[in-house]
Amino acid sequence: MESIEEREEALALAAQAHDVAWAADSTPWQRALRAISGGKWGRQRTGWTVIRLDAPWQDTPSSERPGWRERAANLADDVAFAVDYTVCARCELGWVEWPYTPKKYQRCGLATAGLEALRLEHPGLSWHTLGGHFQDSLAFWASVGTGVPGGYQQRDTCQHVPEG
């Protein structure tokens, strides 16, 4: 069970979800080579590199899905929340996958705040997930999907983004 102090820190962290530190997904040269190759170069999985920024909220390349990003909340030495996401502005679609909050930080608003920040950064998108939802997560998805275009319902990625 979390302490009162940990819960208060997590609640304060949720309130900071719009203050995000960003890490580029590649160097300018890598982006140029990817553009010249039609997106084929640089999409292969190169390892399990995890980037940890010294910031409460961070946005980094996903270590699990090439071409996707990870939004994460850090609390002391813990990852208090993380979710992989990708967007296609052309199709006006966004996907989130594998939201994770350790038990001691659950019900502190971190997932709700993190997902809301993504929606505000990418207005006008319909939001989805790739896979079906586990039975024990249905209430979570119903709650965070209320009033959200797409409602985080299952949908495959479009042709413009890499599959997760």
Side-chain angles (χ1 to χ4, degrees):
M1 176 176 286
E2 80 275 357
S3 70
I4 293 173
E5 181 178 305
E6 285 175 323
R7 179 167 178 73
E8 288 173 354
E9 289 173 347
L11 290 167
L13 181 61
Q16 300 172 26
H18 303 288
D19 186 15
V20 180
W22 291 77
D25 63 351
S26 57
T27 67
W29 282 108
Q30 290 171 322
R31 287 192 296 274
L33 287 171
R34 190 176 301 135
I36 291 167
S37 71
K40 294 182 177 122
W41 184 87
R43 292 288 184 210
Q44 298 82 14
R45 187 177 310 265
T46 58
W48 296 90
T49 303
V50 175
I51 298 171
R52 177 82 181 216
L53 302 176
D54 186 21
W57 285 87
Q58 68 179 41
D59 197 287
T60 60
S62 170
S63 63
E64 298 284 328
R65 294 175 176 78
W68 285 52
R69 308 262 323 153
E70 180 187 69
R71 179 63 55 95
N74 302 311
L75 195 53
D77 291 330
D78 286 338
V79 173
F81 167 74
V83 66
D84 283 355
Y85 77 95
T86 192
V87 298
C88 179
R90 185 183 300 174
C91 294
E92 298 182 334
L93 296 169
W95 292 265
V96 296
E97 216 28 51
W98 287 359
Y100 170 73
T101 306
K103 192 156 192 76
K104 67 181 176 178
Y105 299 125
Q106 290 177 2
R107 304 213 184 336
C108 293
L110 292 166
T112 299
L115 294 172
E116 178 186 34
L118 286 174
R119 292 192 309 269
L120 290 172
E121 291 165 20
H122 304 281
L125 301 185
S126 176
W127 287 90
H128 302 275
T129 64
L130 291 178
H133 301 151
F134 292 116
Q135 189 67 32
D136 62 349
S137 70
L138 292 177
F140 165 78
W141 288 113
S143 175
V144 298
T146 300
V148 174
Y152 297 110
Q153 296 300 308
Q154 183 177 356
R155 180 183 181 132
D156 289 336
T157 57
C158 66
Q159 64 184 5
H160 308 113
V161 299
E163 292 185 26

